[in-house]
Each structure stands twice: as structure tokens, then as C-alpha cells.
Amino acid sequence: MRLVLPRWAGPLAVKAAAFITVMCCALAALLGVLVHVSVTNQTVGQARRLALSKLADATQAYEAGDALLPNAGVNPPGLPTALRTLAAAGERGTMVSSYDGHPTMWAAGPAAGHRALAVAVDYSQQARTIAGLDNSILWSSVLAIGATVLVGVFAVSRVTRRLHGTARVARRITAGDLDARVDDPRTKDASRPQDEVAAVAAALDTMASSLQSKLLSEQRFTADVAHELRTPLTGLHAAAELLPPGRPTELVRDRVAALRTLTEDLLEISRLDTGRERLEVDTEELGALARRVVRASGTDTEVRVLADARVETDRRRLERVLGNLVANAHKHGAPPVVVTVNGAMVTVRDHGSGYPEYLVAHGPQRFRTEGGATGHGLGLTIALGQAEVLGARLIFANAVDGGAVATLVLPGAEGR
């Protein structure tokens, strides 16, 4: 079963918690070892000095022929072999071992006949002291590590929550919500310390404001140009109709018609850019609508209905999207052009050279041309904008065996 973390507990919080835990454990282990070694050396040193002192007394009594003190003797049972060998070799030494189930500090020295004179000192109290110290170090380290990790995670979680909030605003801006702002309170109060997260938030807000201002200026310019062109174009169109028949007249009328179409496209884009378009929803059959669009285009386009569907949509906008896709396929692709209806998904495919890589990766861009191509004008840009108004997804791709494929996925399909 996979552990589900809170939204703020991303990789940064997990890594920070792991780092804090590892560092706390390492620090606790280091301090614990230092305290353990220091106290153990002190305790063992005291026990060793006591055992050597008793060994000196026992040696003096042994050499004087007096009776040995209790817990002293020559080659006593329980004396560690290593210490016995050391004493037999004429050296003195101490060693801690277990004797009769109790920890014992032994001190041994040489005696006559290559024997060992040894003294046993009870080491139980010192062993309990060291064991108690180790337990205290362990539990205090656990508590300290737990408290430090909790405080550290709390501090890191505050930072990560602010970062997630900043990322969320950035995604809203990417999606087109240019009014989104982080509004970090630290950026508004100069008396508060400005950390790196606040700096990022302030930079994002400044960027969004600048971007919004530039886009609004561009939208106003586009709308103003399109509106200003309408009046002279109307007069130009009327004048072209008065020209005498002939090839030059046909060329003039054709260019005037193209200019009027471009002006209407610019006006439509300016309306889409403002985000104020409203839907007029009705129930439509996709198969019949696709056939109407193809008939209105006057092109040789095949319509395939694999699975028809009824959808709640704006008929005029949907016809605009499909009409632009079909027109683009014939203008920039190659026949055969096929429109396929499969439930709530409509696909328009040609068999030309396919979409440019930039268009597949980033979507249509106004009037962009590349590699000597004639560009894709405003048709695909309008189709994408109208699809967004419909709440649909328009996906551009290239077929494996060649050709451009535009897929429109509509919401709220009602299968038949």
C-alpha cells in the first residue's frame, strides 16, 4: 500500500526531514559515544585503582606470610586465562570479567613458582552505573531527535507550503489567469525579513503584472487595428464591385475579400483574448454537424462516423473549429482529408508533410512561418481559442505514416 503524503510534503520536505533526522542521529551518536567513553574510562579507572591497591595489600601480606584478605588468592578459580598468563610472566594487570554471575574487576601480579596472586573486586555497581548511563543517553537522544525533527519539519513545511502556493499561482498564470497573484505578506511589509521565498513570490507577481500589461496592450492594439480597418475595407469592397469585369477586377476583389477575412479573424481573436465570450448551448449530433461543415467548405473531404454522439455545445463555435481545421488541412496538407467522428472525439487528418515541430510542441502561433513554409495564419489559433471556450481539448499531432492529425475532444458526451 502506497503512503499518501500531504500536498505540502513534497520531495523538499521529505529530504529536509531525512537530512535533519540523519544529522540529529549522527550528533546524538557522537555525543553519546563521547559521554559513554568518558564515564566508562573514569569508572573503570577508579575500579582499577581500587583493585591494584588491594593487590598491593595482598602482595604485602603474601610476602610476609600473613593470611590473605577475602577475595584474594593464588591462582584463584575464575581468574581470566589471559590475566593469569600475564601474572605468571612477571607482570601486573587488571581485567573485567564475569565471576559467579557478577561482573568482577580482577587485579593480578606474579607470585612464587610462576603463579598468579589475584584479587577480585565486585564491579556490579559500576556496571549498573554505565548501563544506566547508556539507557539515559539512548532515551534522551530519542526524545531530542524526535523534538528536533518535529520542529524542523514544521519549519520546513511552512516554507514548502509557501513554495507550493507560489507554484500554484504560476500554474494559474500559465493557464491564462493573469489576475492571479501570490501576495506574500512579507513583500508588503518592509519591516519584516525578506527571505528567498518572498523574493521569488515578489518576482512572480511583478512578472505577472508586466505580462498582463503587455498582453492587454497587444489586445487593445489588435482590436483597434481591426476596427479601424473595417471602414476603409467596406468602402474598398464597394468600389471593387463597381469595377468593370475582367481579370484585374477579379484579382482586386479576391485581395479585398482576403483582407476582409483577415480583419474579421483579428476581431475574433481580440474577442477570444478578452475571455468574455459566452456560449449558446444546444444539443447537437456530431455526425450530422461534421457533414454540414464539410458541405459548407466545398472541399473533397471524407466523413467517417465510427460512433455518433449527442453533445451539449455551441453549434456556431464548434462549426467554426471544425471548419478551420478542414480548411487548414486542405490549404497546408495534402489529400485525402478525413474527418472521423468517434463518440465525443472528432479527428481531422490530412496526408501531407504534417505539422511543424513547434506547433506540435507549443500549439499554433499567429502568422509564424518556419523553414520556408507558408505558415498557418490565424485559422488554427482561432480554432484553439474557440475550443477552449467550448471547454474542449484540441490536440495537434503527426501520424506515424505521415500527415497532420488534429483531435478535438468535447466534454459531456452522450453516447448513442
Side-chain angles (χ1 to χ4, degrees):
M1 183 177 180
R2 187 176 179 180
L3 178 63
V4 180
L5 297 174
R7 293 179 63 88
W8 55 264
L12 178 60
V14 173
K15 290 178 181 178
F19 176 77
I20 293 172
T21 302
V22 170
M23 293 304 297
C24 287
C25 290
L27 182 60
L30 178 61
L31 292 177
V33 168
L34 291 176
V35 173
H36 172 83
V37 170
S38 176
V39 174
T40 300
N41 288 340
Q42 182 179 359
T43 303
V44 171
Q46 292 175 352
R48 180 179 291 112
R49 286 192 294 271
L50 177 60
L52 289 175
S53 174
K54 290 189 175 184
L55 177 62
D57 294 340
T59 301
Q60 185 177 5
Y62 175 76
E63 292 176 348
D66 297 335
L68 296 177
L69 300 173
N71 298 326
V74 178
N75 289 339
L79 180 64
T81 303
L83 191 56
R84 187 192 305 272
T85 302
L86 181 66
E91 301 291 336
R92 300 175 66 186
T94 59
M95 181 179 291
V96 177
S97 68
S98 179
Y99 179 61
D100 285 340
H102 301 285
T104 303
M105 171 66 76
W106 291 93
H114 298 286
R115 293 181 299 175
L117 176 62
V119 174
V121 177
D122 186 20
Y123 193 71
S124 300
Q125 182 62 39
Q126 291 86 341
R128 285 192 296 269
T129 300
I130 295 175
L133 175 66
D134 291 342
N135 287 331
S136 299
I137 293 174
L138 176 62
W139 286 110
S140 61
S141 298
V142 170
L143 292 175
I145 291 171
T148 305
V149 169
L150 289 177
V151 173
V153 169
F154 174 74
V156 172
S157 66
R158 294 186 62 187
V159 175
T160 55
R161 276 196 295 268
R162 292 170 61 198
L163 287 174
H164 277 282
T166 303
R168 187 164 53 250
V169 171
R171 286 191 290 268
R172 288 173 56 190
I173 294 173
T174 303
D177 184 7
L178 297 182
D179 293 323
R181 298 292 185 273
V182 179
D183 287 332
D184 193 316
R186 291 169 178 78
T187 62
K188 300 179 180 180
D189 188 356
S191 63
R192 301 183 66 176
Q194 303 294 308
D195 58 7
E196 289 78 2
V197 180
V200 172
L204 180 62
D205 287 348
T206 302
M207 181 199 70
S209 298
S210 176
L211 180 62
Q212 185 179 38
S213 177
K214 291 180 180 178
L215 287 178
L216 290 175
S217 298
E218 180 184 341
Q219 291 169 8
R220 284 194 296 268
F221 175 77
T222 302
D224 292 343
V225 168
H227 279 290
E228 292 298 326
L229 284 175
R230 260 186 163 181
T231 300
L233 279 175
T234 301
L236 190 60
H237 177 73
E241 293 297 326
L242 299 177
L243 294 175
R247 181 60 180 168
T249 300
E250 292 179 1
L251 292 175
V252 171
R253 290 175 179 174
D254 179 66
R255 292 300 88 194
V256 170
L259 197 54
R260 291 187 67 182
T261 300
L262 177 59
T263 302
E264 294 300 325
D265 287 347
L266 287 173
L267 283 172
E268 185 171 359
I269 284 180
S270 67
R271 290 193 299 269
L272 291 172
D273 285 341
T274 60
R276 297 175 181 174
E277 294 286 83
R278 295 293 179 265
L279 294 176
E280 297 179 4
V281 179
D282 198 0
T283 302
E284 299 289 337
E285 290 189 2
L286 284 182
L289 188 144
R291 294 188 183 94
R292 285 201 307 271
V293 170
V294 170
R295 283 197 301 270
S297 70
T299 59
D300 183 16
T301 303
E302 180 184 357
V303 179
R304 299 175 184 173
V305 180
L306 303 182
D308 207 347
R310 296 176 65 85
V311 294
E312 297 288 334
T313 189
D314 187 321
R315 178 182 59 80
R316 181 184 65 83
R317 297 183 190 279
L318 182 55
E319 288 179 347
R320 178 68 159 153
V321 173
L322 295 181
N324 282 14
L325 294 178
V326 171
N328 185 81
H330 282 281
K331 183 177 180 180
H332 299 285
V337 176
V338 182
V339 177
T340 304
V341 178
N342 188 6
M345 184 170 63
V346 183
T347 302
V348 179
R349 178 187 175 180
D350 63 58
H351 289 76
S353 58
Y355 292 122
E357 291 184 5
Y358 77 85
L359 193 148
V360 175
H362 305 291
Q365 300 176 27
R366 303 171 190 180
F367 301 113
R368 174 167 176 173
T369 59
E370 194 170 272
T374 58
H376 288 75
L378 299 176
L380 293 185
T381 303
I382 292 174
L384 182 61
Q386 294 288 11
E388 291 175 352
V389 174
L390 292 172
R393 288 186 298 119
L394 184 54
I395 305 168
F396 300 98
N398 290 321
V400 177
D401 54 346
V405 181
T407 304
L408 180 67
V409 182
L410 292 165
E414 180 183 339
R416 296 184 61 189

